[in-house]
């Protein structure tokens, strides 16, 4: 099943069930108004939503309406926990190699994860607002899961059973603020502003055989201003699967329903696949040519992330966000937002 | 006004208004059932609770009942954001000096803050459960504030205006897991298990003149098994006030209603005041005698934190928690929990 949260002026929005092809939506009001409610009481509420989903897919839902991703908040507009990993080693390897740092051996056995802020997520089509271009604005194309309750000390297999929903994330990053925060050792705070999530969150069964061993065996498409940045296979280079990441988090505490765990920037050892963020592209350029040639993002740039199922249809809908900031913005039409939106399929493919 | 959340078997509990002397409570049902609701709509709901508070203090509330801290969850049983600072430099100085590390100059101008997990807080009298004593179990006696909405780029003064409530926190820490996580640079994850908060959260006006310049000018009492560990003045050595801490967090993102910001372990340059955690006491012992003599906590130990107002009454109620773990526990009476509870006033004073 596919779930989304519609903007209604409230902080938590209105839960909607979305058809498999992302064409239709239906308010879930009879069962729940907010996604957190569903996660809090999954076994009781989710079957009701699944029934509505089946009816909706059959074209028989009486109050269905056309689904519009621009009406979406993040599926969980705010979450009690957001933890992001860095589970793709090629991403770390390139970044560290480019600055002449060693990759510690332990990273193959001990996941790198940081705790993020869950209080202010962005919807998939919301502008991402930054105080300064000088901060080094970058996107990160990621997968993320939303969990049910996972008890302290859970094994990776038990933790994997706790995965309720999957979605895409754009983990906005401020690259020039990262080094000082890494040096402090206390994690990433100012360098990780509000994260955005895909229009819909989907249950693992929607992925069919593409969901295997806690990894998603599909391609994550990243583009900037309609031009491809990456077409990355999400499975092969993911060092730790989602069950392992959740279990790492749960070693010393309970992980409660509605926790979001991100994969980190999807990346491949093969640079021909492109990159899931600009920092990695710049690191690759540095390693090749001695200096980066791709600039970080500017006000007005549009980032688009999407993942298609094996049948070629969009699984989660696209994250498509414009970089916004204190300098005056052009109206969306003139800035080419509509164009990037409609033209992205071709340029991403 | 003073607010608490009573256990009712649900994840968010039931909001109660508590009398100034912590003797009586009253369900806030007519205005709100959960504290997050109040924070989401503070200007509308808080005056209603304030009215109930006045009536309760006058002894005229019709359905008042005796307040029992053991019935309390954390005032916010789960929060969309929990960020903890380390704002007391003597704490950092002792810890780093004891391990021969330098205190970077920047710590006097750039606050150290880590993002914590908000999904699973402990109530003030809940057992704190740990998988192993070998992790180096320690408490941290802290102040914390709950904010309203604070916009990106807010000044320290604007941020300070966003403080809605104050409370105590026990930021449980696993000392032997800290060094490896600090070295990874991504912050404290496994080394910071579920945090506990005081029975009540109070509006700043409850502190009177003791709330000045974003600091609390009162003494935080810490004890372990009924024996004093610290009697620390919370104001003089707090390098950054709460407005500065919130503004640091808000530099690159909005801070939304219900965010909790902690002060870090309250500490004083004068070691005669004692310590707000065992790690600092051990660091002091190491600097004095070459080795620590105070062990970390064991299963069955009881930690108690409390802060009294200038009139001598308990401001927030006491956090009083027993360390629990996989090894068999004695019943509370035999372990001396009741004794530590009633005897703590004397031994803390």
């Amino acid at each position: 099943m596919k779930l989304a949260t519609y903007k209604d002026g409230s902080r938590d929005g209105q839960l909607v069930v979305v058809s498999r092809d992302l064409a239709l939506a239906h308010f879930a009001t009879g069962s729940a108004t907010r996604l957190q409610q569903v996660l809090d009481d999954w076994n009781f509420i989710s079957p009701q939503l699944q029934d509505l989903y089946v009816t909706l897919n059959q074209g028989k839902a009486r109050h269905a309406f056309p689904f519009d991703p621009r009406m979406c908040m993040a599926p969980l507009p705010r979450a009690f926990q957001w933890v992001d990993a860095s589970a793709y080693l090629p991403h770390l390897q390139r970044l560290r190699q480019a600055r002449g740092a060693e990759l510690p051996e332990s990273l193959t056995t001990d996941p790198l994860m940081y705790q993020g802020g869950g209080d202010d997520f962005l919807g998939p089509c919301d502008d991402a607002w930054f105080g300064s271009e000088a901060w080094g604005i970058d996107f990160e194309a990621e997968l993320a899961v939303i969990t049910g309750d996972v008890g302290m000390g859970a094994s990776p297999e038990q933790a994997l059973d706790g995965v309720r929903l999957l979605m895409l994330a754009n983990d906005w990053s401020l690259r020039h603020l990262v080094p000082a925060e890494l040096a402090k050792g206390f994690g990433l705070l100012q360098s990780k502003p509000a994260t955005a999530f895909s229009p819909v969150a989907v249950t693992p069964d929607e992925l069919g055989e593409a969901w295997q061993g806690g990894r998603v065996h599909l391609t994550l498409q990243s583009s900037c201003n309609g031009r491809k940045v990456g077409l990355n296979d999400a499975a092969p280079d993911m060092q730790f699967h989602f069950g392992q990441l959740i279990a790492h988090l749960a070693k010393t505490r309970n992980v409660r329903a509605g926790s979001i765990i991100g994969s980190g920037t999807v990346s491949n050892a093969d640079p021909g696949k492109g990159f899931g963020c600009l920092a990695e592209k710049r690191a690759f350029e540095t390693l090749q040519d001695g200096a980066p040639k791709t600039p970080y993002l500017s006000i007005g740039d549009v980032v688009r992330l999407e993942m298609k199922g094996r049948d070629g249809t969009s699984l989660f809908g696209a994250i498509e966000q414009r970089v916004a900031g204190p300098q005056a913005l052009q109206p969306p039409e003139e800035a080419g937002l509509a164009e990037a939106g409609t033209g992205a399929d071709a340029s991403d493919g």
Side-chain angles (χ1 to χ4, degrees), chain A:
Chain A
M1 114 182 121
K2 301 194 176 191
L3 302 173
T5 296
Y6 252 44
K7 296 181 182 189
D8 68 350
S10 78
R11 294 174 188 266
D12 294 302
Q14 278 290 328
L15 182 64
V16 297
V17 176
V18 181
S19 63
R20 181 165 289 134
D21 62 3
L22 305 182
L24 294 174
H26 197 291
F27 284 107
T29 325
S31 307
T33 57
R34 297 178 293 111
L35 182 53
Q36 184 64 48
Q37 278 178 276
V38 185
L39 293 157
D40 285 346
D41 199 4
W42 183 260
N43 290 339
F44 182 71
I45 301 179
S46 71
Q48 304 172 33
L49 301 178
Q50 176 66 29
D51 287 347
L52 177 54
Y53 182 62
V54 169
T55 312
L56 188 63
N57 284 331
Q58 291 169 337
K60 292 180 185 165
R62 289 184 56 193
H63 299 289
F65 54 88
F67 176 64
D68 181 356
R70 290 168 304 180
M71 283 295 293
C72 287
M73 304 173 85
L76 266 185
R78 46 184 181 172
F80 295 111
Q81 178 153 258
W82 158 230
V83 177
D84 200 12
S86 190
Y88 293 85
L89 295 197
H91 172 77
L92 289 169
Q93 273 154 351
R94 285 194 183 103
L95 262 59
R96 303 218 173 177
Q97 219 181 323
R99 61 169 203 261
E102 286 290 304
L103 199 68
E105 190 67 34
S106 65
L107 285 186
T108 58
T109 52
D110 180 34
L112 208 50
M113 298 176 82
Y114 79 89
Q115 194 103 34
D119 60 316
D120 192 43
F121 292 143
L122 301 178
C125 304
D126 289 349
D127 283 352
W129 205 97
F130 303 99
S132 169
E133 285 180 352
W135 289 341
I137 303 166
D138 198 2
F139 68 94
E140 290 195 342
E142 307 194 359
L143 282 158
V145 299
I146 310 180
T147 74
D149 290 316
V150 177
M152 197 188 304
S155 70
E157 293 66 34
Q158 290 168 329
L160 195 54
D161 277 343
V163 171
R164 296 280 175 263
L165 295 162
L166 291 111
M167 53 191 179
L168 300 183
N170 184 0
D171 184 39
W172 288 101
S173 299
L174 301 171
R175 298 298 178 190
H176 298 324
L177 305 186
V178 168
E181 293 202 313
L182 278 183
K184 287 163 82 177
F186 265 42
L188 307 167
L189 196 81
Q190 294 180 335
S191 53
K192 292 289 186 178
T195 308
F197 294 92
S198 52
V200 301
V202 314
T203 46
D205 61 290
E206 290 293 329
L207 279 69
E209 292 182 357
W211 174 242
Q212 261 183 50
R215 294 177 177 86
V216 175
H217 295 252
L218 292 169
T219 302
L220 183 47
Q221 308 177 351
S222 313
S223 69
C224 182
N225 299 326
R227 298 173 63 157
K228 182 184 86 171
V229 180
L231 276 176
N232 294 101
D233 295 340
D237 296 295
M238 191 182 186
Q239 179 75 9
F240 306 97
H241 67 65
F242 275 110
Q244 290 171 309
L245 296 176
I246 300 166
H248 180 81
L249 177 63
K251 180 183 173 185
T252 59
R253 47 169 152 154
N254 298 310
V255 172
R256 303 302 302 272
S259 291
I260 304 177
I261 286 82
S263 66
T265 308
V266 174
S267 171
N268 295 118
D270 173 9
K273 303 281 183 184
F275 308 98
C277 70
L278 298 179
E280 194 179 332
K281 190 173 185 199
R282 287 164 56 91
F284 178 74
E285 292 164 352
T286 302
L287 292 168
Q288 291 281 99
D289 309 319
K293 64 172 190 269
T294 304
Y296 284 122
L297 296 168
S298 300
I299 309 294
D301 283 346
V302 174
V303 171
R304 190 176 200 275
L305 311 179
E306 192 171 24
M307 180 173 265
K308 290 181 177 166
R310 292 190 175 168
D311 62 358
T313 61
S314 186
L315 244 179
F316 306 100
I319 295 177
E320 184 166 331
Q321 296 185 274
R322 192 156 64 133
V323 177
Q327 94 183 37
L329 287 174
Q330 296 171 273
E333 306 71 40
E334 289 172 37
L337 180 62
E339 226 175 292
T342 53
D345 275 351
S347 50
D348 275 10

